Amino acid sequence: MPDDHSMRVTPQPVRRQVEERLREAIITSRFMPGEHLSDRMLGDVFGVSRGVIREAVRLLEAEGLIKVVPNRGPFVAFLSAAEATQVYEVRAVLEALAGQGFAERASTEEIAELREVFEELAATRPGTDRMVLLNLKRRFYGVMLRGCRNAYVARMLDQLLNRNSQLRATTLSDPKRLPQTIAEIRRIVEAIERRDPGAAWAACREHVHQAAQVALRILNQQARDEAAQGLEVALD
């Protein structure tokens, strides 16, 4: 159970604060996949009314982070390996479009801003808190989505990034993955700085492809572990 006091919010705008903190609680696994998110429990945790809770839940349901089961209520959504494969396939194309558009249309100041965020990421080390890493990646994408000048790509990619944010936080914090992530993003930034849309496209696609491999490995291992635990229970 998350620490109630650390998650309480102050008035105005209450709904936005609840939405952001509930999203963070799911991303950081404070609420685990499959966990029931009852109105009463969330109301106690956040210190707000059930009406505010239900509004925040509806918004996160639209992002795919919460699944509402008829007659049972809201639960933290699972992301299966099959679903993750589809998410990463679509994300690869959208991210490539964003990188290509950024290389073509971003201002000099936006390119410098992207480089600045990247240097912060490059300065991190294995063991860095995964929310710190995820927030740096969010800032990186925020600059890229603004500078690509394609509102449709920005909106769809932002939704996909939210959908698998819990899994992204896990893969980012993998000590073996972080150096690879930094190297892949360096290639994206360098292609953009050369104003090379084709190279930016390819570097973005490769980054998502590598991230997908790690994510699917984690999901498949989790499935094997759960199956093994189920077998042990049956044998008992």
Side-chain angles (χ1 to χ4, degrees), residues 116-129:
E116 182 180 344
V117 178
F118 165 71
E119 292 298 342
E120 288 187 50
L121 179 63
T124 61
R125 294 292 178 268
T128 300
D129 183 81

Side-chain angles (χ1 to χ4, degrees), residues 88 91 121 124-138 141 165-182 184-185 207 211 214-215 218:
Y88 278 104
R91 178 185 156 191
L121 179 63
T124 61
R125 294 292 178 268
T128 300
D129 183 81
R130 64 182 182 176
M131 282 308 299
V132 172
L133 296 172
L134 192 60
N135 285 332
L136 283 170
K137 283 295 294 290
R138 281 177 177 164
Y141 284 118
S165 53
Q166 188 179 65
L167 189 55
R168 288 172 58 228
T170 301
T171 58
L172 271 174
S173 60
D174 185 329
K176 296 179 181 178
R177 174 60 187 154
L178 183 58
Q180 297 173 354
T181 296
I182 292 170
E184 291 158 14
I185 296 177
H207 171 55
V214 175
I218 290 172

Side-chain angles (χ1 to χ4, degrees), residues 40-184:
R40 176 177 295 180
M41 182 272 287
L42 292 179
D44 290 342
V45 167
F46 293 112
V48 297
S49 70
R50 291 189 180 186
V52 172
I53 291 297
R54 287 169 182 168
E55 188 175 354
V57 164
R58 280 196 297 271
L59 290 166
L60 295 190
E61 182 187 14
E63 292 181 9
L65 291 175
I66 290 175
K67 180 179 175 112
V68 177
V69 179
N71 302 318
R72 295 185 61 198
F75 293 79
V76 179
F78 282 101
L79 186 66
S80 68
E83 290 173 313
T85 298
Q86 296 173 42
V87 167
Y88 278 104
E89 284 179 354
V90 177
R91 178 185 156 191
V93 176
L94 291 173
E95 197 160 317
L97 282 170
Q100 179 188 52
F102 194 91
E104 292 174 336
R105 297 185 285 272
S107 67
T108 301
E109 292 76 18
E110 286 168 330
I111 292 176
E113 186 180 358
L114 195 74
R115 164 62 74 169
E116 182 180 344
V117 178
F118 165 71
E119 292 298 342
E120 288 187 50
L121 179 63
T124 61
R125 294 292 178 268
T128 300
D129 183 81
R130 64 182 182 176
M131 282 308 299
V132 172
L133 296 172
L134 192 60
N135 285 332
L136 283 170
K137 283 295 294 290
R138 281 177 177 164
R139 286 172 55 198
F140 184 87
Y141 284 118
V143 177
M144 182 181 288
L145 294 180
R146 173 170 22 101
C148 77
R149 306 288 190 272
N150 188 320
Y152 292 98
V153 168
R155 185 162 55 249
M156 289 186 286
L157 182 55
D158 187 58
Q159 184 177 4
L160 279 183
L161 292 173
N162 280 334
R163 177 65 184 94
N164 74 329
S165 53
Q166 188 179 65
L167 189 55
R168 288 172 58 228
T170 301
T171 58
L172 271 174
S173 60
D174 185 329
K176 296 179 181 178
R177 174 60 187 154
L178 183 58
Q180 297 173 354
T181 296
I182 292 170
E184 291 158 14

